Amino acid sequence: MIIIDGHFAIDGSMTTGEFGFRADPDLTSGLVAYYEMDDLTDSHINGYDGVLRSGSVGNVGGIIGDTYIQSSSNRFGGIEYSSNVFQPNTSGSFTMNGWFKISQYNSFNGDVTVIGNDQAQLYMFSGNYLDFRMFETGLGNIWIRWTDHPFETFNVWKMITLTKDAGSMAASSVNLYVDGELYTTTRSVIADTLVGNTVLSSNFDLGGGDVYKDFWGSIDEVGVWDRALTPSQITKLYNSGSGLLY
């Protein structure tokens, strides 16, 4: 038995924390940042801590342990992180994963960021659709919409995973998983015109940017990888609905 970071490891492959199991090493390969969301700090070694855009904060029960919200109205005030967290290459691969529980739709108009940066972002379009868009000025864009999106039931935790495969700038290289399963329901491609190999390096955001675009609900256990996780690894993260520390 080995002790790693104060946790017991069995055969060096898994450690236990206060609320669950640490994942095996194949989930930490390519991991750029990991936010347990008990606070604003990066739980991974890179130290890409976040900054709350505005307002006060509080802790409520998350999918594992606690999660960080803006306490005054049970809405997520929007957290901004360094651009180092997420710098996708338009022809490269990446994964964004997190647990999300929406309490209500934003009563204001506008697109509500779920996860991503200004140029590669999964967001809710006026509370009606779930969209992913990746673009660069002058180079076109990928734009995918799921009109039957997974947040139509309030106050239910959903694990949302978005992956992009390497070697392509086509919309077909992007996949959305919900609760560990590939999500193809009512998927439509609005635009598929991205050309040119470039790095998209704007700041990484969770849960919107201001009162008009806040994510109303809770966000927990967020991870970003510089590779596309495999379906089996995504299933492992879901852990039969219990989530997984990694």
Side-chain angles (χ1 to χ4, degrees):
M1 183 174 289
I2 305 170
I3 297 178
I4 302 174
D5 294 334
H7 302 289
F8 292 106
I10 303 171
D11 297 329
S13 61
M14 182 176 288
T15 63
T16 57
E18 182 179 359
F19 298 102
F21 289 99
R22 295 283 176 188
D24 49 275
D26 69 344
L27 289 175
T28 59
S29 173
L31 184 64
V32 178
Y34 169 43
Y35 302 101
E36 295 183 40
M37 303 306 293
D38 296 330
D39 53 33
L40 296 178
T41 60
D42 178 8
S43 303
H44 191 46
I45 60 173
N46 292 324
Y48 298 139
D49 297 345
V51 176
L52 187 72
R53 290 181 182 272
S54 63
S56 60
V57 296
N59 288 84
V60 296
I63 193 69
I64 300 176
D66 289 334
T67 188
Y68 210 51
I69 65 164
Q70 186 163 329
S71 58
S72 59
S73 56
N74 192 33
R75 63 185 175 84
F76 199 87
I79 296 178
E80 183 175 71
Y81 297 88
S82 164
S83 61
N84 292 327
V85 172
F86 185 52
Q87 294 191 22
N89 189 298
T90 53
S91 64
S93 61
F94 60 81
T95 299
M96 299 186 292
N97 181 81
W99 286 84
F100 302 86
K101 181 172 71 171
I102 188 170
S103 58
Q104 67 181 73
Y105 293 132
N106 193 319
S107 58
F108 303 99
N109 292 325
D111 303 334
V112 179
T113 302
V114 177
I115 188 171
N117 70 21
D118 289 343
Q119 295 172 281
Q121 179 184 119
L122 186 67
Y123 62 95
M124 286 186 290
F125 179 76
S126 297
N128 295 317
Y129 311 117
L130 192 64
D131 285 18
F132 173 75
R133 191 176 181 202
M134 185 166 73
F135 72 94
E136 176 62 273
T137 302
L139 298 179
N141 71 107
I142 293 172
W143 190 354
I144 305 168
R145 173 167 291 170
W146 294 266
T147 54
D148 181 20
H149 70 70
F151 294 126
E152 292 183 349
T153 302
F154 294 156
N155 298 311
V156 174
W157 282 108
K158 293 286 186 179
M159 192 184 85
I160 306 297
T161 312
L162 189 132
T163 68
K164 182 183 176 300
D165 297 328
S168 173
M169 287 172 278
S172 59
S173 68
V174 177
N175 287 302
L176 179 70
Y177 295 79
V178 177
D179 292 342
E181 299 289 337
L182 183 64
Y183 196 73
T184 57
T185 304
T186 61
R187 170 185 165 126
S188 61
V189 177
I190 298 173
D192 197 1
T193 61
L194 189 61
V195 297
N197 188 14
T198 189
V199 174
L200 309 176
S201 58
S202 54
N203 287 346
F204 180 71
D205 291 308
L206 284 175
D210 54 49
V211 67
Y212 298 101
K213 297 185 178 182
D214 284 349
F215 181 95
W216 290 66
S218 303
I219 302 176
D220 203 8
E221 305 303 319
V222 174
V224 179
W225 290 258
D226 62 7
R227 64 183 179 94
L229 294 183
T230 66
S232 63
Q233 290 168 338
I234 293 168
T235 299
K236 193 177 298 183
L237 280 174
Y238 182 61
N239 193 23
S240 300
S242 298
L244 197 68
L245 296 172
Y246 49 96

